[in-house]
Amino acid sequence: MSNDDESWLRVKARLRAEVGDDVFSSWFARMDLEQLADGVVRLSVPTRFLKSWIQSHYAERVLACWQAEQEQVGRIELIVRSAVLKTTVQPKPKAELMAASDGARGFGNGINGGNGVGRPMSAGDPGVHEALGGSPLDARLTFDSFVVGRSNTLAQAAARQVAAARRGDPVMFNPLYIHAGVGLGKTHLLQAITWAGNAANERKVLYLTAEKFMYGFVSALRTQTALAFKEALRGIGVLVIDDLQFLQGKSTQAEFCHTLNALIDAGRQVVIASDRPPSELESLDDRVRSRLAGGLVVEMGTLGEELRFEILKARVVSARSHHPSFDVPLPVLAYIAKTVTHNGRDLEGALNRLLAHNKLTGQSVTLEMAEREVRDLIRPQEPKRVKIEDIQRIVARQYNVSRSDLLSSRRTANVVRPRQVAMYLAKTLTLRSLPEIGRRFGGRDHTTVLHAVRKIEGLVGNDMALAEEIEILKRQLQE
Ligand code: ADP
Ligand code: MG
């Protein structure tokens, strides 16, 4: 290895330490040193998109890292490696693709990276394909490992339907919008759609977290022409976006809206998951919200005890394929299913502990061991997610007014008080901000909400009857 090559290795290590693994593998993993001469470092990347991104975001940093290694470096030059120099990528066997999606993150990795891996896309710009690379997938999250129960039957059926659709089939519901609390299987279902769709090799399924959408996809759009963007979209059969609640920023939303409309209008399927229904995506523009609500919106409820039990059983079976000696008696599973009520992630955590204990100490799994190991995962019943709509509905019913009275500008006493109570409940039972609450109450100002909250707070201290009314309302909302 030449001196320069060694320097390059050290520069890369430096960069990685500075920007972190994720950023490094997204942008620099495929950057090569071509030449170092006369104080000019010539680096190459595979696409124009990468080049322009690095140039505008990291040029100085890369230069500084070089200068820390070799003082005489004065300038960095970025070039796009010509594709003909590199041999074309052969389609990889699936197992390898899965592995790639676990470890190496970054564009173009993973099964749905538009890296030309076995599936050349239409003749768009390679930079766009690059940028369209999806988020990493977990090989375990498939339909086979998804256990169906009362709370998720509809969502699972809709997801299967979407995954099974063929190119050119009429799109039944668009977008498919799945919402549920944390750990209830949203990501699992979305990735199952992605695996199934891509395995059938019918339509390209692109899975993106909202974050990836913001930092990869959107920025790629900005550097591409409208034509290149259209070309790229043409290659996507199904766009899957996870954790939509994290989508932020006005311009990102505009791009999202644009993408959503373009795909839906072109008859492409869009699938979305979020922790709340479209109506409660406070920061989204009304038009986007209504577009989202215009497809099929499905909620997944909490996992019932039976479903938890079935999930645990399935988990043990799959754990046993790697650890044949791992055996969990059914009463232990029943115990965990009964007591660990939180969500799917805690169920997994509980089993992992039993497995670790069993492996490390060689003791077999007993009820006693389980009681000891999972103690801290047993939480009091997770408080229910209260929705502003429910508050309005229940308060309206209680005070015998209509929901539209609550949202109206009427100021008669029989509406004012219930409205204040409802706003007070919205503030105390949900995490919504004052402006958000104001908006949901007929577009009121946040100071009006604040006034209502203070007013009711002041009253409940002295007015026993009101305090009791509010307690009853809270109980109804939380049961
Ligand atoms: P979310 O994205 O809704 O927060 P995840 O999809 O990440 O939740 O699920 C959390 C964990 O629970 C994952 O390990 C997932 O495999 C498991 N899980 C949730 N629901 C199910 C189900 N119905 N069948 C099997 N595993 C499930
Ligand atoms: Mg998730």
Side-chain angles (χ1 to χ4, degrees):
M1 188 183 285
S2 74
N3 271 346
D4 291 346
D5 285 336
E6 275 171 24
S7 298
W8 175 222
L9 282 184
R10 282 196 300 273
V11 168
K12 281 200 283 192
R14 217 176 257 275
L15 256 178
R16 185 188 279 278
E18 282 189 18
V19 300
D21 285 344
D22 270 3
V23 171
F24 183 87
S25 52
S26 292
W27 305 112
F28 303 110
R30 283 175 300 144
M31 186 156 157
D32 290 339
L33 173 65
E34 298 291 332
Q35 197 184 30
L36 198 174
D38 308 324
V40 179
V41 175
R42 178 177 285 196
L43 299 165
S44 72
V45 288
T47 70
R48 266 196 283 151
F49 170 68
L50 273 178
K51 177 185 160 187
S52 74
W53 183 272
I54 293 171
Q55 215 142 35
S56 53
H57 292 82
Y58 296 103
E60 279 169 26
R61 190 157 228 160
V62 175
L63 178 62
C65 287
W66 267 103
Q67 286 171 334
E69 278 305 321
Q70 297 203 12
E71 278 176 11
Q72 78 277 18
V73 170
R75 198 156 60 82
I76 299 282
E77 202 179 284
L78 272 176
I79 59 166
V80 179
R81 285 196 281 282
S82 95
V84 282
L85 290 179
K86 302 276 162 187
T87 48
T88 43
V89 187
Q90 291 303 309
K92 293 185 190 173
K94 199 154 163 214
E96 222 179 307
L97 285 173
M98 292 181 181
S101 68
D102 277 338
R105 286 152 180 262
F107 288 158
N109 285 320
I111 185 136
N112 45 20
N115 201 11
V117 186
R119 263 187 316 284
M121 285 170 61
S122 53
D125 182 274
V128 180
H129 303 176
E130 198 70 56
L132 294 185
S135 300
L137 296 180
D138 183 333
R140 295 169 307 175
L141 303 182
T142 61
F143 282 121
D144 285 343
S145 62
F146 191 84
V147 185
V148 184
R150 205 178 334 132
S151 58
N152 59 26
T153 314
L154 185 58
Q156 192 266 2
R160 277 225 180 249
Q161 170 81 250
V162 162
R166 320 229 126 212
R167 212 184 325 235
D169 280 359
V171 179
M172 283 183 64
F173 16 77
N174 214 3
L176 168 60
Y177 186 107
I178 298 174
H179 67 102
V182 113
L184 299 182
K186 299 182 295 295
T187 296
H188 193 142
L189 264 190
L190 259 50
Q191 296 207 1
I193 292 176
T194 313
W195 283 119
N198 282 331
N201 208 4
E202 254 293 316
R203 305 183 294 176
K204 183 182 168 63
V205 186
L206 184 67
Y207 171 88
L208 296 169
T209 58
E211 258 197 319
K212 190 87 178 187
F213 181 85
M214 286 190 281
Y215 296 119
F217 195 81
V218 169
S219 46
L221 301 193
R222 289 185 192 141
T223 56
Q224 300 302 330
T225 63
L227 196 67
F229 173 57
K230 280 210 190 110
E231 278 291 310
L233 282 190
R234 201 168 301 158
I236 301 177
V238 184
L239 179 67
V240 179
I241 297 190
D242 202 354
D243 286 327
L244 187 70
Q245 71 274 12
F246 295 132
L247 197 76
Q248 281 158 357
K250 272 266 164 285
S251 58
T252 306
Q253 287 186 15
E255 305 282 11
F256 173 70
C257 183
H258 178 47
T259 308
L260 193 69
N261 288 332
L263 285 169
I264 293 180
D265 295 343
R268 306 305 158 86
Q269 179 75 52
V270 176
V271 183
I272 284 165
S274 169
D275 70 350
R276 61 197 77 171
S279 59
E280 298 196 8
L281 285 167
E282 312 289 353
S283 61
L284 277 192
D285 173 299
D286 283 339
R287 269 176 319 157
V288 187
R289 248 202 308 257
S290 64
R291 187 102 218 205
L292 289 175
L296 177 65
V297 177
V298 200
E299 177 169 15
M300 287 198 286
T302 46
L303 309 170
E305 186 175 332
E306 221 174 290
L307 183 53
R308 296 198 293 268
F309 183 64
E310 294 302 323
I311 291 176
L312 286 165
K313 273 205 304 203
R315 276 290 161 80
V316 172
V317 171
S318 84
R320 280 169 64 95
S321 65
H322 298 284
H323 310 280
S325 64
F326 182 54
D327 189 29
V328 185
L330 289 184
V332 172
L333 294 184
Y335 166 76
I336 300 177
K338 190 166 200 62
T339 53
V340 179
T341 54
H342 198 55
N343 63 40
R345 244 163 258 172
D346 284 355
L347 291 179
E348 187 173 18
L351 269 191
N352 284 343
R353 285 190 202 179
L354 297 185
L355 178 62
H357 202 81
N358 168 255
K359 284 272 146 201
L360 298 175
T361 65
Q363 286 171 17
S364 50
V365 176
T366 61
L367 205 48
E368 268 187 319
M369 180 212 270
E371 277 175 7
R372 217 174 36 241
E373 290 297 313
V374 306
R375 198 178 298 144
D376 61 301
L377 291 178
I378 302 174
R379 296 186 210 178
Q381 193 80 44
E382 169 81 337
K384 203 182 136 194
R385 284 194 303 163
V386 178
K387 296 180 194 142
I388 290 186
E389 267 121 69
D390 294 337
I391 294 176
Q392 292 169 340
R393 187 171 45 80
I394 284 182
V395 169
R397 192 177 62 195
Q398 173 84 13
Y399 291 97
N400 214 2
V401 293
S402 72
R403 187 165 163 260
S404 53
D405 284 336
L406 293 180
L407 307 192
S408 73
S409 53
R410 286 181 49 208
R411 301 212 35 85
T412 46
N414 69 323
V415 213
V416 170
R417 178 54 50 80
R419 186 184 293 137
Q420 288 174 334
V421 168
M423 288 189 202
Y424 165 82
L425 289 172
K427 186 63 200 140
T428 44
L429 299 180
T430 74
L431 295 172
R432 306 286 169 252
S433 67
L434 294 173
E436 283 167 5
I437 296 171
R439 204 177 55 69
R440 303 292 301 283
F441 278 83
R444 291 182 151 75
D445 194 69
H446 75 278
T447 52
T448 310
V449 183
L450 185 62
H451 173 73
V453 173
R454 294 230 170 104
K455 177 88 190 175
I456 299 297
E457 272 170 358
L459 285 175
V460 288
N462 305 315
D463 185 340
M464 286 299 287
L466 180 66
E468 194 166 319
E469 261 169 45
I470 287 182
E471 267 320 297
I472 292 171
L473 286 167
K474 278 191 181 168
R475 232 173 295 145
Q476 285 181 36
L477 283 160
Q478 285 173 323
E479 76 193 6

